[in-house]
Amino acid sequence: MGNKEIFATKAADDAQATSYPSFEAVGGDWASLAKEAAELGEEHVIINLGPVHPATHGVLRLQLELDGENVKEVRASTGFLHTGIEKNMEYRTWTQGVAFCTRMDYVAPIFQEVAYCLAVEKLLGITEQIPARASAIRVLLMELGRISSHILGIGSLGNELGATTMLTLGFRCREDILRIMEDITGLRMNNEFIRPGGVLDDIPEGGIEYIRELLPKIRNTISEMESLTMANPIFKMRHEDVAVAPLSALMALSTTGASVRAAGVPWDLRKTQPYCGYEKYQFDVPVEAKSDAYNRVKVRYAECYQSLRIVYQVLDQLEQTAGEPFMVNDKKIAWPACLSISSDGQGQSPAHVQKIMTESMESLIHHFKLVTEGFRVPAGQVYQMVEHPKGLLGVHLVSDGGTRPFRAHFRDPSFNNIQSLNLLSEGGLLADTIVALGSLDPVMGGVDR
């Protein structure tokens, strides 16, 4: 066959292929959506964005209906990071549950640990018995975690828009915070440091001085990122009046966190329903007049400075309460281990091992039973909320009186917030969908659980 015949055959095949557009979509009502798209012909196009990391932490798939560059409809497909955390917790002791829930939102793990332990303590009826020093350490770790979460979210969004410098600065700030986390808990992430009744160990020797040494570096990095963005004309063009949402719609969709505060509502559980002694600390709740992508970023920057303000107050309190207990006095609940925190993680204190192995058979038996079997929690159910960096984090626990949760369920803020993505994106440009998603700052580990 000559070249002319080959080209003629290929042209005929191409013409036949392009005359019958095909669409592939499965699950839910995707079939009807594809049928409608086929009837519209070339007017509307259905595209998949993902499953990838589009300006978020974790794997998400978006299916968008486009009219040219304009977004007509957005549908989010989740479940790619589903781990069955809540179901697994039903087969572990109350204390072991910390190791599971800390892995939900892995960008801010301490918040799940605190919320869960506060709920367990409420079921046990020991909320008022938690040592003040333990609550202060919890607040210290949460506020450092809030800064880390906000800065990483802002940096990730900047990276998706081509500003790689924002991501490198964000990781520089986060690295300083993770150094503090490791110094206190022995681990950088998924710390498993909060326990029902208090915390695993006290602040290490020299720990407060180390934190004070790093805090100016953290503040300088936040200021550097803020100066690179908030007055930058390119940044403002990409964020101002983009992904705008009215307050009424945000409330109807159960959206919480920075989106609502950017709309002008100073709703922060640390102020409205204090826990862990937050009522003792002086701080403000930043708000703005319009919930667009720009103001959501602005609120997060302001919250970072307020978190630093709280951290300094906590450090002063920890210096004044040095030597005070950090775990509840009830030995039937208090974690029996005495940890020796080092750079390679959490290990038992040699003195503790020496005591239970050679000096006290009763201590060894108690240690064994409490670690393997766990403590019993009175039958009942409880709901506990904390102010997570993404918004309201809720924990619903049900106990049947045993050593394990009968049911554990988390209201993760990222899951609720991501439902507003279509509200923020539809009617805008395709390029602004990434800005809308990044301004919500969801973590898919928390969404899918």
Side-chain angles (χ1 to χ4, degrees):
M1 183 182 293
N3 289 337
K4 291 184 178 181
E5 290 82 357
I6 293 175
F7 293 143
T9 303
K10 185 177 185 303
D13 291 342
D14 291 344
Q16 184 177 7
T18 56
S19 61
Y20 299 101
S22 62
F23 303 89
E24 181 179 355
V26 295
D29 56 349
W30 297 120
S32 60
L33 184 66
K35 181 180 178 182
E36 180 183 353
E39 293 172 352
L40 291 171
E42 296 181 357
E43 295 180 14
H44 287 192
V45 177
I46 306 296
I47 68 167
N48 274 298
L49 182 62
V52 291
H53 279 236
T56 185
H57 317 287
V59 184
L60 174 68
R61 174 197 180 199
L62 299 179
Q63 194 159 30
L64 301 98
E65 179 183 346
L66 302 178
D67 181 5
E69 286 290 317
N70 296 309
V71 177
K72 306 300 292 183
E73 187 174 2
V74 179
R75 297 190 178 201
S77 178
T78 63
F80 293 95
L81 286 181
H82 179 59
T83 51
I85 284 175
E86 294 172 342
K87 192 65 179 177
N88 272 299
M89 291 175 71
E90 298 175 14
Y91 298 90
R92 301 296 189 274
T93 67
W94 293 95
T95 300
Q96 289 171 336
V98 176
F100 283 85
C101 66
T102 189
R103 286 165 167 78
M104 289 170 34
D105 184 339
Y106 36 79
V107 178
I110 287 293
F111 292 88
Q112 287 91 235
E113 296 184 25
V114 171
Y116 172 73
C117 289
L118 286 174
V120 176
E121 291 160 3
K122 191 179 290 186
L123 277 172
L124 288 167
I126 62 171
T127 301
E128 301 302 322
Q129 302 175 31
I130 306 304
R133 188 170 181 83
S135 294
I137 294 173
R138 290 177 177 183
V139 171
L140 172 68
L141 296 175
M142 282 191 289
E143 293 311 309
L144 290 171
R146 193 181 311 277
I147 298 170
S148 175
S149 176
H150 282 343
I151 290 302
L152 186 59
I154 296 170
S156 299
L157 174 55
N159 186 61
E160 291 295 332
L161 301 180
T164 308
T165 302
M166 291 300 297
L167 186 63
T168 57
L169 287 174
F171 271 107
R172 186 176 77 185
C173 178
R174 181 171 180 260
E175 188 65 26
D176 287 331
I177 292 174
L178 292 184
R179 288 193 180 101
I180 296 174
M181 294 290 189
E182 184 177 14
D183 185 58
I184 296 174
T185 71
L187 296 168
R188 290 160 57 85
M189 297 172 58
N190 303 328
N191 309 93
E192 303 174 36
F193 186 73
I194 313 300
R195 286 287 187 270
V199 295
L200 270 177
D201 204 356
D202 203 352
I203 299 292
E205 184 178 352
I208 294 179
E209 292 76 12
Y210 182 62
I211 298 171
R212 291 190 184 277
E213 178 185 336
L214 287 178
L215 286 179
K217 294 176 60 180
I218 294 171
R219 177 184 288 275
N220 288 340
T221 304
I222 298 170
S223 299
E224 186 175 354
M225 292 179 67
E226 186 179 24
S227 64
L228 283 172
T229 52
M230 302 313 287
N232 187 309
I234 300 176
F235 184 89
K236 295 177 73 172
M237 288 174 62
R238 292 302 310 271
H239 290 76
E240 286 186 335
D241 296 321
V242 172
V244 181
L247 176 61
S248 57
L250 294 173
M251 299 301 289
L253 291 168
S254 299
T255 305
T256 54
S259 295
V260 173
R261 289 191 282 274
V265 179
W267 186 30
D268 189 314
L269 292 175
R270 295 174 296 173
K271 286 284 191 183
T272 59
Q273 296 171 249
Y275 52 92
C276 290
Y278 268 110
E279 64 277 4
K280 298 185 297 185
Y281 304 109
Q282 300 296 318
F283 66 98
D284 300 318
V285 179
V287 294
E288 294 296 331
K290 181 201 298 185
S291 188
D292 61 0
Y294 183 83
N295 282 327
R296 289 184 205 111
V297 173
K298 189 175 182 179
V299 163
R300 289 189 176 99
Y301 277 130
E303 287 184 2
C304 288
Y305 293 119
Q306 293 301 319
S307 291
L308 285 172
R309 185 179 171 189
I310 295 173
V311 166
Y312 279 109
Q313 296 176 62
V314 174
L315 293 178
D316 292 339
Q317 180 181 344
L318 290 174
E319 287 176 333
Q320 296 167 7
T321 60
E324 293 186 5
F326 51 86
M327 178 61 75
V328 69
N329 192 40
D330 189 346
K331 296 302 180 183
K332 294 181 180 180
I333 298 172
W335 189 248
C338 296
L339 292 183
S340 176
I341 303 297
S342 60
S343 59
D344 60 349
Q346 299 174 353
Q348 296 293 342
S349 164
H352 178 70
V353 175
Q354 175 74 15
K355 177 182 178 182
I356 66 173
M357 293 298 291
T358 64
E359 300 176 17
S360 175
M361 178 59 71
E362 291 79 6
S363 295
L364 179 61
I365 294 172
H366 175 69
H367 182 114
F368 182 80
K369 284 183 63 66
L370 197 54
V371 171
T372 58
E373 181 182 306
F375 51 79
R376 293 187 177 274
V377 172
Q381 62 178 327
V382 69
Y383 189 72
Q384 174 67 43
M385 299 182 295
V386 302
E387 188 64 37
H388 190 280
K390 276 67 173 185
L392 188 154
L393 172 66
V395 184
H396 179 211
L397 294 180
V398 181
S399 172
D400 59 1
T403 59
R404 302 177 300 181
F406 179 79
R407 182 74 173 95
H409 176 66
F410 289 80
R411 188 258 188 216
D412 187 88
S414 291
F415 179 75
N416 292 77
N417 292 349
I418 206 171
Q419 295 180 81
S420 64
L421 181 61
N422 58 346
L423 168 71
L424 302 180
S425 301
E426 291 174 5
L429 296 174
L430 172 60
D432 292 338
T433 300
I434 301 300
V435 179
L437 181 59
S439 71
L440 292 175
D441 188 27
V443 174
M444 303 312 296
V447 172
D448 296 331
R449 299 189 294 285

